[in-house]
Each structure stands twice: as structure tokens, then as C-alpha cells.
Amino acid sequence: MPLEALTSPLSTSAAPPAVDSSFLNLSKGLPALVPRKRRTPPQNPLPVQKTPTLSLPPNIDSISFFEPSRRVFSPRDHGMFLRSPCYSLVLAFVFSLSEACANTKISAISLSTQPPIIQNILSILSSISTQVECNPPKDQGASRFGNSAFRDFFDAVSDCLGQYHEGLGGPTPEATLEVSSYLQHSLGSRSRIDYGSGHELNFILWLLCLNRLSLLSPSSFPALALLVFPRYIHLLRKIQSTYYLEPAGSHGVWGLDDYHFLPFLFGASQLLHHPYIRPLSVHNEIILEEEGDEYMYLDMVRWTMATKSVKGLKWTQPMLDDISGAKSWEKVEQGMRRMFVKEVLEKLPVMQHFLFGSLIPAVDGMGSEEVQDEKNIQESEAESSGHIEALEHIHRDDDAWGDCCGIKIPSTVAAAQEAKKWGSREIFRRVPFD
């Protein structure tokens, strides 16, 4: 390059680059502004479960009372129940109880203003609690399976059921026999020494029967959900901790809880529009300690964490940990409604133990225990002869064991109780996800 080109000043008269004049032509005005389309939020394939209308109580004079019995023995029977008025009745009562405690703390319901029947129901639960103390558990070493003393407790309560119901105002002894059967079966299974969401549902059905007898009006629903039901949950914790009731058909770590479901539904309804407690607050131990006595959802999480030998919902209850990421309690409550339908009412192994009577009627054409007893005799004869491959064998899911297989699940509550007894948390071998 010549030396003159390097030393000469830069030219300032260079012409600007050519610009396409059509690009700046504004003679036709600005183009129309088109709003950006918002993305459609993902839709949940499961619709929100609405609350059916709770029907009026029937005319008592037209009812012939009898002891409730099982009527669901096959998928056909189960399908008939899901299409029956009885299904809508149960759904309406459960969801009405949930709505009755919406945005309400437990302490907001005053016991002194409640009708006498609420006091009587609480007295019944207190009497049952006394029976636990009168029937202490038997010494069975460090075993974490069901304690056989539970059968003595169960029989003692059964003998007092008529006395317990005298103050409730049942119309006839036959009505008392029918209604008391639901309370009896809400304490767990005498034969298997276990407890699950089906037994919990029996307690709700007991209250539903009292409603059908016009003894519990809709105005008492807040007291039922926030005074009676929490007392029942605490009674069952005492029973579970004393007799080491085994989870009945539990999802175990992959479920909400080893024993209960409805406290999470009612508890989510309590927190629907809480000013500062969010779903993520279940990880805050201070909030659990300060607010657990007021809200069932927080109380259940607190109890779960207290009875597990491994700390943290991430490891012990992953589903509760996942739910804590929900944006609002409304989402949680809607999910609990769906889960109640899918995991309780639509589960055949749960509904096989559902009791039908005159107040909670079955549909004509459903199975009966008489026919099932004959079938059980045939199955026993086939099993004794070794020909069992052709018999019906219903499991909870395709990849899970059902109750019929006889697989016992140790109580996780027993782990904490045995740790207190021995003064060490490592005296026994842990069960995964204790």
C-alpha cells in the first residue's frame, strides 16, 4: 500500500450507503397491530367433581330396617353402584361436609352452641377411647404387626354399641342395629387387625345414617367436619398407636397417608383462601407447630412427620411433597375431590367392604353375601384340592397385591412407638420409607 494512503486523513465526504426507499414509505400508514395470541393453559383431563344435591331424608315410617351387609363382589356390582342414587348420596354428603368447613378454623366452631346430639356423639367417641385403656396391648416383643388385643377392644366396643346409641334418639331397636354397624366397622377390621380409607368412610356413613334419620340437619355439618371428625381422627391415632393396626390395602409411601384420606380433603377446604398459609407451607415446621391444631391438613402432615423415622416429605410422602408445589389451595381441594372419587369410591377392593342397608340402599340386582358365601365354599373346596387357577382373583391394580393375597404390611406408627419403648431409633431394622 502507498505511504500517502496511510498518512492521509480519512475522507469525511463519503456517501452513505443506499437505502431502499420502499422500506421507509409511510404513505400508506402503519400496518395494523395484531394482538399476540395467548397460549391456552393445559386442561386437566379429569373434570372438577361438583357437589350433587343432597336429597331430603326419607319417610321413616316407610323404612324396614335391617343389619347392613356387603353387596359389591364383582366389577359388575361395582359398576351398578357407581351409577346408582346411593353413589350420588355418598358423594353429596362428603362434599357437603367439605364445603361446610371452607375457610374456617377448628376453634371457630363453639361446642357450647351445638345441639345436644353433637355432645352425645363426642361422648360416644370418648367412651370408645376409654375402652382402649381398659384393653391394653399384649406383649408381642418388638413385632410391628397388629396386636391381637385389638380384637378384645373391638368386642368390648361392640357389646356397648346399643348403650352408646341410646342418647342419639333412634326410632327403633332395628334402626339402632343398622346404624351402629357403621360405627363398629369404622374402627378397623377385627379379623385382619388393619385400617384403611374404607373404614374411615364407614364413620362418614354412620353420620350419614343419622342424617337420614333426621337427627343431624345440614346446619350441623360445620360441627361434624370440624369438631366430630377431628376427634374421630385422634381416637384412631390412639387405636393405631396402641394396637399397631396395619395399613389396609395402602399405597404406602406413594399415597397421601397410610390410613386416612378425608382429613386432607376437609383440610384443603379449610385453607381455601388463607391470607398467608400456602401449599408450600407444609415444609415450614413453625407453621405446622403453630397452626396444626387449627387446620386438619397441617395436622396430618405434622403427624406424618412425627411418626416417620426418616425426616422429610420428599422421602416419606412424595405425593404430599408434589402437592405442595400447587399454586393455590383451590387446586389442591379440586385434586382431593378427584382423588376421593378415583381412589376410594371407584376402587373395587375398597368398595368390596362397603355396607348397604335400608338408609344407604343397594341397587336391585347387585350381589349378596348369601350367594358369595356359597361361592367361598366352592373356592375353599377348589383350593384344598389344588385347583385354584380358575378362581376369580381381584387385585387392587395390575401390578399390586390385593388383600386376598394375605401380604401383611407392618405399621409405620409402630416404628415410632417401639423406638420410644426401647429408647433408641435403631433397635429394629427399618422398613423402607418408614
Side-chain angles (χ1 to χ4, degrees):
M1 180 178 293
L3 184 60
E4 295 81 2
L6 295 175
T7 57
S8 62
L10 295 176
S11 175
T12 58
S13 60
V19 179
D20 186 3
S21 59
S22 61
F23 179 78
L24 299 175
N25 185 10
L26 302 179
S27 61
K28 296 182 180 180
L30 294 174
L33 297 178
V34 179
R36 183 178 300 175
K37 293 184 179 180
R38 294 184 178 180
R39 294 182 179 180
T40 303
Q43 298 294 325
N44 194 314
L46 298 175
V48 177
Q49 293 292 335
K50 302 296 183 181
T51 303
T53 302
L54 183 62
S55 60
L56 296 175
N59 183 7
I60 303 300
D61 297 333
S62 62
I63 295 180
S64 299
F65 298 100
F66 58 89
E67 186 174 0
S69 62
R70 296 185 300 144
R71 301 291 299 274
V72 176
F73 298 99
S74 66
R76 173 182 172 274
D77 297 335
H78 190 208
M80 295 178 67
F81 163 74
L82 295 177
R83 297 186 297 270
S84 69
C86 179
Y87 169 80
S88 299
L89 175 64
V90 173
L91 207 62
F93 187 70
V94 172
F95 288 170
S96 295
L97 290 179
S98 178
E99 292 177 353
C101 58
N103 305 306
T104 308
K105 299 191 299 183
I106 291 178
S107 61
I109 305 299
S110 175
L111 180 59
S112 61
T113 61
Q114 302 305 319
I117 189 171
I118 299 297
Q119 298 273 8
N120 293 337
I121 292 175
L122 295 176
S123 297
I124 291 175
L125 298 180
S126 298
S127 300
I128 296 175
S129 179
T130 303
Q131 293 290 355
V132 177
E133 301 165 1
C134 296
N135 295 273
K138 299 177 180 179
D139 185 11
Q140 53 185 27
S143 173
R144 293 167 52 187
F145 291 96
N147 194 293
S148 59
F150 173 75
R151 297 190 176 102
D152 299 332
F153 158 78
F154 191 92
D155 293 340
V157 173
S158 300
D159 293 339
C160 298
L161 286 175
Q163 176 185 349
Y164 291 160
H165 286 73
E166 287 180 357
L168 296 182
T172 62
E174 292 77 13
T176 298
L177 175 64
E178 176 173 340
V179 173
S180 62
S181 296
Y182 292 99
L183 177 62
Q184 179 188 38
H185 289 87
S186 71
L187 302 176
S189 170
R190 184 188 185 280
S191 59
R192 299 186 302 273
I193 314 182
D194 62 10
Y195 180 91
S197 55
H199 302 102
E200 178 186 67
L201 181 61
N202 277 326
F203 183 77
I204 297 298
L205 298 181
W206 179 57
L207 300 178
L208 175 58
C209 287
L210 297 179
N211 170 262
R212 297 294 89 187
L213 293 175
S214 300
L215 300 177
L216 288 173
S217 64
S219 62
S220 67
F221 286 2
L224 294 179
L226 296 176
L227 292 180
V228 173
F229 190 71
R231 181 76 65 87
Y232 166 75
I233 294 299
H234 285 83
L235 168 63
L236 262 297
R237 286 178 184 172
K238 183 177 182 178
I239 295 174
Q240 293 156 7
S241 301
T242 302
Y243 302 113
Y244 297 173
L245 300 190
E246 301 161 16
S250 171
H251 288 282
V253 67
W254 306 114
L256 288 175
D257 183 78
D258 288 335
Y259 299 108
H260 298 284
F261 176 84
L262 289 177
F264 294 98
L265 171 61
F266 297 166
S269 181
Q270 281 185 279
L271 292 162
L272 273 178
H273 302 100
H274 198 278
Y276 62 86
I277 298 179
R278 300 289 182 264
L280 200 61
S281 300
V282 298
H283 300 284
N284 189 321
E285 294 186 6
I286 296 179
I287 290 182
L288 294 180
E289 183 64 26
E290 293 182 350
E291 304 288 354
D293 294 336
E294 295 285 1
Y295 300 99
M296 281 181 276
Y297 195 103
L298 303 182
D299 181 48
M300 290 299 299
V301 175
R302 183 176 60 178
W303 174 255
T304 297
M305 296 178 64
T307 56
K308 299 289 184 177
S309 57
V310 178
K311 296 300 180 182
L313 291 179
K314 179 180 180 181
W315 307 109
T316 59
Q317 305 293 119
M319 180 173 288
L320 285 178
D321 184 66
D322 291 342
I323 293 174
S324 68
K327 293 183 178 180
S328 65
W329 286 111
E330 182 180 5
K331 293 290 185 182
V332 177
E333 196 264 350
Q334 292 175 358
M336 291 299 170
R337 285 181 174 235
R338 299 188 189 99
M339 193 178 298
F340 174 72
V341 173
K342 299 295 292 185
E343 297 297 331
V344 179
L345 298 184
E346 291 187 3
K347 287 295 183 181
L348 176 57
V350 175
M351 299 310 298
Q352 281 178 327
H353 304 284
F354 191 96
L355 299 176
F356 295 87
S358 63
L359 298 172
I360 305 177
V363 178
D364 292 338
M366 293 176 62
S368 64
E369 289 192 349
E370 292 79 8
V371 176
Q372 189 65 21
D373 289 341
E374 295 180 2
K375 183 178 180 181
N376 291 339
I377 294 175
Q378 297 175 358
E379 290 183 353
S380 299
E381 295 175 350
E383 184 175 0
S384 62
S385 62
H387 300 88
I388 60 174
E389 61 276 359
L391 299 177
E392 290 188 10
H393 199 67
I394 300 174
H395 289 288
R396 186 184 66 203
D397 291 310
D398 294 337
D399 59 345
W401 296 99
D403 293 336
C404 50
C405 298
I407 294 180
K408 296 168 70 64
I409 304 174
S411 167
T412 56
V413 174
Q417 296 300 323
E418 288 296 316
K420 294 178 182 179
K421 184 186 302 183
W422 293 94
S424 171
R425 300 190 74 87
E426 303 296 337
I427 197 67
F428 49 86
R429 182 171 61 86
R430 287 181 177 179
V431 173
F433 298 108
D434 261 354

